[in-house]
Amino acid sequence: MQNLVQELAPLMQEYGYTVLALAIAIEGLGIPAPGQSLLIVASYLSVNGTFSLPAVLAVAGAASWLGNTAGYLVGSRFSHVVEQRGWLKPASVEKVHGFIDKYGVMGLVLSRFLEGLKQLMCLGCGMAQMPRHHFLMGNTLAVGIWLTVFGLGPAFFHEEIGQIGLFYHHHQHAFWAAAVIAGLALLIWLFRKRSPAN
């Protein structure tokens, strides 16, 4: 964590919320950028008052939601251009489509935490013609969970973040298995609640 702060803190301190918003937004378009890393650093620096945590969360949340939505619209309307120009490798497109077909909206949520997929998922959702209301629901849920983990987490657990990172590194498969089970349970509960009584 200290290495990450040392590397990116000067960038955040010089360009502030602007670089945070830009880096996060362009990730939604399928372009690799250090958006998540900058969010972690900005949250961490908010502890000593360098940044305002509510402002960090607002900027990051808006940039992520809008960037992801822009990526979805580009994929939906210009998928033929993306494929013809070779901007995405066929293997990457196939991998994203397979992930979407298998996990649907929950896949969009999970992709926020999987390097390699998170940058391509919104573009892929558009190219796979995921229904717009499904995408918007998944995008909103994904951004909310992502902000909680990487926006609030570093600020509230700044003293324990090293130990947390080490624990996550050694148990990440179990962590995500539990997250998937919890997410599916939540979705089932929500659908049952919305279903009309027999």
Side-chain angles (χ1 to χ4, degrees):
M1 182 64 190
Q2 291 301 324
N3 290 337
L4 188 65
V5 172
Q6 288 174 3
E7 288 177 11
L8 296 178
L11 188 63
M12 279 298 305
Q13 290 168 344
E14 184 170 355
Y15 298 105
Y17 301 109
T18 302
V19 71
L20 177 66
L22 287 175
I24 290 173
I26 66 174
E27 279 188 323
L29 292 167
I31 302 170
Q36 182 170 291
S37 297
L38 286 170
L39 172 60
I40 292 170
V41 170
S43 174
Y44 191 80
L45 293 175
S46 72
V47 175
N48 63 18
T50 304
F51 295 99
S52 162
L53 183 59
V56 167
L57 296 175
V59 168
S64 181
W65 196 92
L66 292 172
N68 293 348
T69 303
Y72 169 81
L73 293 174
V74 168
S76 178
R77 296 179 183 179
F78 304 105
S79 60
H80 59 289
V81 176
V82 173
E83 291 176 355
Q84 287 174 0
R85 299 277 182 174
W87 291 342
L88 290 180
K89 296 178 182 178
S92 297
V93 174
E94 187 177 333
K95 181 179 179 182
V96 171
H97 283 201
F99 195 81
I100 293 168
D101 291 342
K102 187 173 183 180
Y103 297 105
V105 171
M106 187 52 62
L108 179 58
V109 175
L110 292 175
S111 71
R112 293 296 303 174
F113 304 91
L114 300 174
E115 285 298 329
L117 272 178
K118 74 176 182 179
Q119 291 87 355
L120 302 176
M121 184 55 64
C122 296
L123 196 63
C125 285
M127 294 175 71
Q129 300 299 315
M130 176 183 278
R132 185 171 297 182
H133 65 283
H134 286 173
F135 173 79
L136 293 175
M137 178 178 70
N139 187 31
T140 302
L141 183 60
V143 170
I145 295 172
W146 178 73
L147 274 181
T148 301
V149 174
F150 296 107
L152 285 174
F156 282 94
F157 300 104
H158 61 280
E159 293 181 356
E160 297 86 5
I161 200 125
Q163 290 86 345
I164 292 172
L166 188 62
F167 178 84
Y168 173 75
H169 178 72
H170 289 297
H171 302 91
Q172 56 183 315
H173 292 98
F175 175 84
W176 287 115
V180 169
I181 292 169
L184 289 173
L186 177 61
L187 283 176
I188 292 169
W189 180 78
L190 288 173
F191 282 126
R192 284 184 176 175
K193 190 174 181 181
R194 291 180 62 183
S195 298
N198 294 329

